[in-house]
Amino acid sequence: MVYKDHEGNYMYTTFEDRVNALDLDDGTKQELIKKNKEILDSSFFPGYEKLYQGMQGILGTAKTSGKICEMDGGKEFYEKYFQSRSGTNLTPEECMQLLQNMIYEYYTEAEDIMNNMTPEQQRQIGIPQEYSTGSFESDLEYCKEVFQSDFPDLGEIPCRVYHIPESLKDNFSPAAYMSCPIDDPTNNLLMVNDAGDYGGDMLTTVAHEALPGHMYETVYHNKNMHSFSGKGGTSAYKEGWSTYSEDYIMHFTDYDWEVYRVNY
């Protein structure tokens, strides 16, 4: 069975944690936890087991690859989809050439930087650096203090920091910003993976996910754009902004900027 060792799975533990945090009497909490366990044991995990067995039974029976690109108009669909996600009118071939040119320029820039480095700087190339003030919360406070002078003041941005359970560590990124609901701009959630091996560069991660990255961008759009438009934007724009945010924050630190540029 796929789920024969599911005891202790996060579907149990995270539910228990959330129920125990509620303002309920102990009897009600235990009843809810018991009911959740019954549902998982009798329906949820057996359902996935049945799905797994069914998929095994049809494995290799498909008459086609199922790839959209091999269907009529599939290639054209992906060209339009690429343009929609990247926010450009360039064709995939034109973007590939642009990307190759940029990679060459960056390699040339990195080579020029390295040629003018001191021996000590060169020794740090390729070595993991500790970019953090100590914790996710302290990195968040640092970003909050330094970025305000260059960006429109949105006032205090309410947010919750949730440290994910260890049982989720292998299936979760270093951190993530969960975008607020369209009708509740104050409900901002930052999720942190403490158990992962990501602590060294957490400062740039906080800048990317929170301030002035995804969280600030989302709150700004909600305050200054129509609620529907504020949820738009391409993946390229959003990730480009958050990547810029990483470099922006690093300019304020005492870390060696040239070493950072070459390493990242």
Side-chain angles (χ1 to χ4, degrees), residues 58-242:
I58 64 174
L59 192 64
T61 63
K63 304 301 181 182
T64 67
S65 68
K67 298 175 182 177
I68 294 179
C69 63
E70 295 180 358
M71 299 179 182
D72 290 340
K75 184 174 183 292
E76 291 75 16
F77 164 78
Y78 273 119
E79 288 177 348
K80 293 299 182 183
Y81 183 73
F82 169 80
Q83 291 174 336
S84 173
R85 298 291 287 178
S86 62
T88 179
N89 290 324
L90 298 176
T91 66
E93 291 77 15
E94 290 171 332
C95 281
M96 183 63 72
Q97 184 60 56
L98 177 63
L99 180 61
Q100 290 174 343
N101 292 342
M102 293 177 67
I103 290 174
Y104 174 78
E105 290 176 5
Y106 288 145
Y107 268 114
T108 301
E109 178 185 356
E111 188 176 53
D112 290 341
I113 294 174
M114 291 179 65
N115 288 337
N116 290 284
M117 280 183 167
T118 65
E120 176 56 32
Q121 286 178 310
Q122 292 179 349
R123 281 193 290 270
Q124 297 179 55
I125 301 303
I127 298 176
Q129 305 292 315
E130 293 291 326
Y131 299 131
S132 177
T133 61
S135 69
F136 185 92
E137 284 78 4
S138 63
D139 286 342
L140 183 61
E141 287 301 315
Y142 178 85
C143 291
K144 185 185 299 185
E145 290 176 8
V146 301
F147 95 104
Q148 294 181 2
S149 61
D150 291 324
F151 295 88
D153 182 13
L154 300 181
E156 184 67 21
I157 299 177
C159 70
R160 293 181 294 119
V161 177
Y162 175 68
H163 295 262
I164 67 167
E166 187 174 355
S167 57
L168 288 174
K169 69 174 184 178
D170 295 331
N171 299 294
F172 199 79
S173 57
Y177 166 64
M178 309 304 291
S179 183
C180 58
I182 196 169
D183 59 348
D184 187 4
T186 66
N187 188 6
N188 297 288
L189 177 62
L190 294 166
M191 303 181 71
V192 189
N193 186 352
D194 293 319
D197 186 20
Y198 309 115
D201 58 352
M202 187 55 78
L203 180 60
T204 54
T205 299
V206 172
H208 182 112
E209 299 295 344
L211 303 169
H214 289 312
M215 184 170 73
Y216 177 85
E217 170 202 1
T218 299
V219 174
Y220 178 85
H221 286 170
N222 285 340
K223 287 179 176 288
N224 293 279
M225 300 173 66
H226 185 278
S227 58
F228 180 79
S229 300
K231 292 295 182 183
T234 65
S235 297
Y237 161 73
K238 292 179 178 180
E239 293 306 319
W241 172 261
S242 54

Side-chain angles (χ1 to χ4, degrees), residues 3-41:
Y3 290 102
K4 62 182 178 181
D5 298 322
H6 57 76
E7 292 297 331
N9 183 277
Y10 63 86
M11 296 294 290
Y12 298 101
T13 57
T14 58
F15 183 85
E16 293 174 9
D17 291 341
R18 284 176 288 159
V19 167
N20 285 326
L22 298 175
D23 185 18
L24 299 172
D25 63 81
D26 291 342
T28 302
K29 291 180 180 179
Q30 290 305 311
E31 186 62 31
L32 290 171
I33 291 172
K34 179 182 177 182
K35 184 64 175 178
N36 179 65
K37 186 178 187 307
E38 290 174 355
I39 293 172
L40 293 176
D41 290 344

